[in-house]
Amino acid sequence: MKDLLGLTGLGINLPITDPTWIFFLVLVIILFAPIIMGKLRIPHIIGMILAGVVVGEYGFNILERDSSFELFGKVGLLYIMFLAGLEMDMDDFKKNQTKGLVFGFWTFVIPMALGIVTSMWLLGYSLVTSVLLASMYASHTLIAYPIISRYGLARIRSVSITIGGTAVTVLLALAVLAVIGGMYKEETVGSLYWVLLVVKVLALGALIIIGMPRLCRWFFRKYDDSVMQFVFVLSMVFLGAGLMELVGMEGILGAFMAGLVINRYVPHVSPLMNRLEFVGNALFIPYFLIGVGMIIDVRCLFTEGEALKVAVVMTVVATISKWLAAWITQKSFKMRKSECSLIFGLSNAQAAATLAAVLIGHEIILPSGERLLNDDVLNGTVVMILFTCIISSVVTERAAKRIVAEEHDGETDTDKKKNDKENFMISVANPETIEGLVNMALTIKHPKQKKELVALSVINDNNTSEAKEMMSKRNLEKTSIIASAADTSVRTVLRYDMNIAQGIIHTARENDITDIIIGLHRKTNILDSFFGTMTENLLSGTHRQVMIAKFLVPVNTLRRIVVAVPKQAEFEAGFSKWVVQMCRMGKILGCRVYFYATEQTLAYLKRIIDREGANTFSMYSVLEDWDDLLLLTGQMAYDHLFVIVSARKGSMSYQPSFDQLPGQISKYFSNNSLLMIYPDRWGDPEEIISFSEPRRAVGPTAYDTVINNLYKWFKKE
């Protein structure tokens, strides 16, 4: 079919070579394959692969697998491995690293053993050929990983175990490939070649693990442009992959390591993460899947009997061996059946390292003139890739649905009420602090919380102007853009009120806000207070949790969270809420949370963290006296977040020494990022009005001053 439309005079030849039409057809496949597959209840990934079969050389020959498919296909492959490392829950990974190693061991050993036996016994291949063929069964590619991301399961235990095992088995499989490939290289000189290979791989791994985090931390602090950050992260991915290829290993390992290293600098709920996932899932990964389908020759199954036999043996052995590895892992650690299915589904697909192994083995010519891996193995491999990808996608989709249903059924009514009750409002005034406040809100809100954020800008009726109104609208628009980039909806509110504090309080009541986030007040003159009149009036006018934040570094570059907790803080109404939120923030940012409190309060802290399953690396130290707060200056660094849990006057945990906090913070903690938390308290001030406590702005009284002086005098004594 040289001229498909010769009768019409358009002169469209097949395969199409014009870049414009190639890209258009690929986009059409990416657009319609999920729609068609969705109606048939088939995973979208299968649609991409089958579409590649149809339009490829062995189908209707509409598109040629040219350099564009090789380029974008390799980028997509590296992207899959990068996202697997980037989205991994590092806390869960560290806790389950032993399970991951065990699964990696079984998913390598079982396919190797079955592969060698069946290749020599059923197919009659030599030992070297059988070992290389078995290593192809041992490796696997996380083709179905986009399904996991779509269902929001990237951070569960079974996924972490599978990804950890993937790194182990791919590394060992590529080592087998390197050894066999090196046996037939002319430059291989005895054991020195292998020693140098191991040394280079270890040195490169150390360079990526040690050097790349420092480079990321420096860049993210210096540059906050979203495009620059996106390009920088991609450059780190391909730098890691390229360096790994330079030392003789596959680039997928370098991309995976880069994802692990950059993990803590790209929070799971952040604009940068959303951009990375969007670009990969919209273009690069589908391009790779279509390219995989284009190399599959289905006709060989019906034209060559030996190729059919090899394809059947390879597909059956690869599938059975991966299922056995997942089943043994499930029984070893008493996991659920749905977790076993998920592990098997993720680990069954063969593509990346398998393709590398078969192509390298096919190019090796033995002294007898035969190829190490003949044409039957090459054709059998591409058929195995097709069927294992289909099995992987179907099993993963079903297992993911089952796990989501189990989690939904296991969620108690109390948990659902907690999730539904969380509603954040951000008061925006200074455009320089908006990004930090939004990013903090994204890290502390519940991941299943679907309620929109409320962004508020209040204009004082007594000091209104067109310039102030325009500035407020720009601030709200900027807030909406930042949150939308993280796939989070925001409702903006521009309000006119007699004073800013009352505007915030009234908006919070109207929208049933549970958490109010504001930036730290900037002193305008020497007589101005540390928090400002607005903040003091806000604290006295609402019983909801108020968080006052100041960030000197981007939120994603924080390395530690230090929380100072006063005595009797456990008796406050909002104690559990802020504890879980701080642990949630540490989990998403990948940093430790250090709690300093009295022994009694620490016991409550540990109990809540264990009960709520906060799942973070928390450290506990005793802070006997609140006046010893200054001792924490030795524990703080520039990239640490200092969290001070305070209380309103009249609360159980309120102490007279709280009045000294502004001076202490200004003098000793001015070079640290700061977050002050005023937890929920019992009783709404709007509903509690009495003769003994009329509604007014809370300020220091003569009584308070006398008490403070007596307290200081006895303290000195």
Side-chain angles (χ1 to χ4, degrees):
M1 234 167 50
K2 296 262 179 164
D3 187 350
L4 179 65
L5 298 176
L7 296 177
T8 64
L10 295 178
I12 299 179
N13 298 322
L14 295 181
I16 296 174
T17 56
D18 184 80
T20 304
W21 287 105
I22 291 175
F23 203 73
F24 168 73
L25 289 175
V26 170
L27 292 179
V28 168
I29 293 172
I30 296 174
L31 176 63
F32 286 102
I35 297 175
I36 297 172
M37 293 296 107
K39 292 183 179 297
L40 299 175
R41 298 183 179 274
I42 299 175
H44 304 164
I45 292 175
I46 298 176
M48 301 292 179
I49 297 175
L50 293 179
V53 175
V54 172
V55 303
E57 177 185 357
Y58 304 108
F60 291 100
N61 198 26
I62 298 175
L63 295 178
E64 182 182 1
R65 197 173 189 276
D66 57 8
S67 57
S68 67
F69 283 96
E70 294 180 5
L71 173 62
F72 283 97
K74 186 166 186 178
V75 171
L77 173 58
L78 297 177
Y79 223 99
I80 288 176
M81 296 303 296
F82 165 65
L83 287 180
L86 187 66
E87 295 184 345
M88 183 182 292
D89 187 337
M90 295 306 295
D91 288 346
D92 195 51
F93 177 69
K94 291 173 183 176
K95 292 180 179 179
N96 295 296
Q97 58 185 352
T98 302
K99 298 182 179 69
L101 290 173
V102 171
F103 172 67
F105 171 79
W106 288 120
T107 200
F108 176 78
V109 171
I110 295 176
M112 284 294 294
L114 288 179
I116 293 174
V117 171
T118 54
S119 297
M120 297 181 67
W121 179 47
L122 295 177
L123 302 178
Y125 292 147
S126 65
L127 177 61
V128 176
T129 301
S130 300
V131 170
L132 182 57
L133 196 56
S135 71
M136 292 162 53
Y137 305 152
S139 66
H140 57 254
T141 304
L142 299 172
I143 287 287
Y145 188 79
I147 297 175
I148 297 300
S149 297
R150 192 170 73 248
Y151 282 97
L153 300 176
R155 292 175 168 254
I156 65 174
R157 175 180 63 172
S158 51
V159 175
S160 298
I161 293 173
T162 308
I163 294 176
T166 300
V168 173
T169 191
V170 170
L171 178 61
L172 294 175
L174 292 178
V176 172
L177 176 61
V179 170
I180 294 179
M183 292 170 57
Y184 297 95
K185 287 184 178 180
E186 295 181 359
E187 62 270 21
T188 303
V189 182
S191 59
L192 182 61
Y193 173 82
W194 309 114
V195 173
L196 288 176
L197 177 63
V198 173
V199 171
K200 287 188 292 186
V201 171
L202 292 177
L204 177 60
L207 177 64
I208 293 176
I209 294 172
I210 298 174
M212 199 172 285
R214 288 169 170 77
L215 185 60
C216 291
R217 195 157 52 241
W218 169 82
F219 188 89
F220 285 130
R221 287 177 183 169
K222 191 172 181 62
Y223 303 100
D224 58 357
D225 182 77
S226 57
V227 176
M228 292 180 65
Q229 290 184 348
F230 177 81
V231 174
F232 170 77
V233 170
L234 285 191
S235 65
M236 292 296 99
V237 176
F238 293 101
L239 174 63
L243 291 175
M244 194 62 73
E245 290 179 349
L246 282 179
V247 300
M249 300 298 287
E250 284 297 313
I252 54 177
L253 281 180
F256 177 70
M257 291 182 65
L260 289 179
V261 168
I262 300 175
N263 183 292
R264 70 172 309 275
Y265 299 103
V266 184
H268 187 61
V269 282
S270 66
L272 182 56
M273 173 65 86
N274 189 55
R275 295 185 186 102
L276 290 168
E277 289 181 332
F278 173 79
V279 172
N281 293 325
L283 185 62
F284 293 140
I285 295 176
Y287 232 113
F288 165 69
L289 297 172
I290 295 171
V292 169
M294 293 176 72
I295 67 173
I296 296 175
D297 184 6
V298 182
R299 296 175 298 180
C300 68
L301 296 176
F302 308 101
T303 57
E304 301 178 20
E306 189 65 25
L308 177 60
K309 176 184 176 182
V310 173
V312 171
V313 171
M314 293 178 67
T315 304
V316 171
V317 172
T319 303
I320 291 177
S321 60
K322 290 298 181 181
W323 182 84
L324 285 174
W327 180 76
I328 292 176
T329 303
Q330 178 215 347
K331 294 301 181 182
S332 300
F333 301 110
K334 298 179 180 179
M335 303 169 70
R336 304 192 307 271
K337 289 184 178 180
S338 56
E339 291 181 294
C340 175
S341 298
L342 190 64
I343 293 174
F344 165 64
L346 279 174
S347 62
N348 186 53
Q350 309 285 328
T354 303
L355 281 174
V358 73
L359 293 176
I360 291 174
H362 189 260
E363 294 297 323
I364 295 175
I365 307 298
L366 299 175
S368 61
E370 298 179 354
R371 296 181 181 274
L372 182 62
L373 297 180
N374 56 31
D375 293 340
D376 292 335
V377 175
L378 181 61
N379 292 328
T381 299
V382 293
V383 173
M384 177 185 70
I385 289 173
L386 173 63
F387 283 100
T388 55
C389 288
I390 292 175
I391 294 171
S392 174
S393 302
V394 172
V395 173
T396 303
E397 182 97 18
R398 291 181 177 177
K401 290 180 179 178
R402 203 177 310 138
I403 290 177
V404 170
E406 289 174 356
E407 289 184 350
H408 184 269
D409 293 340
E411 189 177 17
T412 63
D413 293 338
T414 304
D415 293 332
K416 293 176 183 177
K417 289 179 181 178
K418 288 180 181 178
N419 298 346
D420 293 339
K421 202 60 181 170
E422 221 175 44
N423 200 2
F424 288 86
M425 182 175 74
I426 304 172
S427 176
V428 296
N430 184 357
E432 296 179 1
T433 63
I434 291 175
E435 187 168 1
L437 297 180
V438 173
N439 287 332
M440 189 193 79
L442 294 176
T443 59
I444 64 177
K445 77 182 189 72
H446 197 283
K448 296 182 180 178
Q449 155 78 284
K450 300 303 180 184
K451 284 189 177 179
E452 59 188 1
L453 297 177
V454 177
L456 170 67
S457 181
V458 181
I459 300 177
N460 194 324
D461 278 339
N462 299 326
N463 191 23
T464 183
S465 67
E466 186 176 346
K468 286 185 175 295
E469 182 177 342
M470 290 297 297
M471 182 181 297
S472 297
K473 289 181 178 179
R474 284 197 296 267
N475 290 342
L476 292 174
E477 183 181 2
K478 182 178 180 180
T479 306
S480 181
I481 291 173
I482 295 173
S484 298
D487 200 21
T488 301
S489 58
V490 174
R491 184 159 61 86
T492 58
V493 178
L494 179 62
R495 187 185 189 103
Y496 295 85
D497 213 304
M498 290 299 295
N499 64 70
I500 296 177
Q502 287 301 314
I504 296 175
I505 294 169
H506 293 160
T507 306
R509 291 179 62 84
E510 292 165 3
N511 294 274
D512 195 23
I513 298 298
T514 60
D515 299 83
I516 302 172
I517 301 175
I518 64 175
L520 183 63
H521 166 74
R522 288 187 173 183
K523 295 181 66 173
T524 56
N525 55 65
I526 194 171
L527 298 178
D528 199 0
S529 65
F530 179 77
F531 290 120
T533 305
M534 186 279 291
T535 304
E536 294 172 353
N537 291 338
L538 173 63
L539 292 173
S540 63
T542 180
H543 68 296
R544 295 299 191 183
Q545 178 169 280
V546 177
M547 289 173 279
I548 308 170
K550 178 193 74 172
F551 292 101
L552 301 181
V553 298
V555 174
N556 62 316
T557 63
L558 293 171
R559 290 196 301 117
R560 179 181 295 182
I561 300 175
V562 178
V563 186
V565 188
K567 184 179 180 181
Q568 294 185 330
E570 62 271 18
F571 298 115
E572 300 292 347
F575 179 69
S576 299
K577 181 168 75 174
W578 69 256
V579 171
V580 173
Q581 287 175 343
M582 287 301 100
C583 292
R584 193 181 295 153
M585 185 178 186
K587 180 181 177 66
I588 291 178
L589 296 179
C591 55
R592 292 182 181 272
V593 182
Y594 289 75
F595 291 99
Y596 289 85
T598 62
E599 291 185 1
Q600 179 182 353
T601 304
L602 287 178
Y604 281 94
L605 282 167
K606 295 176 183 177
R607 198 176 308 161
I608 288 177
I609 292 174
D610 293 338
R611 184 187 69 200
E612 297 291 338
N615 191 23
T616 186
F617 287 104
S618 303
M619 307 293 291
Y620 308 94
S621 299
V622 176
L623 183 68
E624 290 291 354
D625 197 319
W626 188 254
D627 283 352
D628 295 335
L629 191 67
L630 299 183
L631 297 177
L632 299 183
T633 55
Q635 308 294 326
M636 299 298 301
Y638 181 72
D639 52 1
H640 294 175
L641 174 64
F642 187 32
V643 181
I644 299 177
V645 181
S646 188
R648 300 167 174 89
K649 288 191 176 182
S651 301
M652 285 286 293
S653 61
Y654 178 79
Q655 300 180 22
S657 57
F658 283 172
D659 293 337
Q660 310 303 319
L661 280 177
Q664 294 174 343
I665 293 172
S666 300
K667 186 174 182 180
Y668 299 104
F669 300 100
S670 59
N671 293 325
N672 299 110
S673 296
L674 177 70
L675 175 63
M676 293 200 67
I677 299 178
Y678 288 82
D680 292 335
R681 69 174 180 180
W682 304 105
D684 188 345
E686 292 287 333
E687 301 172 356
I688 303 176
I689 307 174
S690 66
F691 177 77
S692 61
E693 189 179 357
R695 184 173 301 151
R696 58 181 174 80
V698 177
T701 62
Y703 173 79
D704 294 327
T705 304
V706 172
I707 292 296
N708 287 341
N709 290 334
L710 289 173
Y711 175 82
K712 293 177 184 176
W713 185 74
F714 281 111
K715 183 69 177 176
K716 290 179 181 178
E717 291 297 322

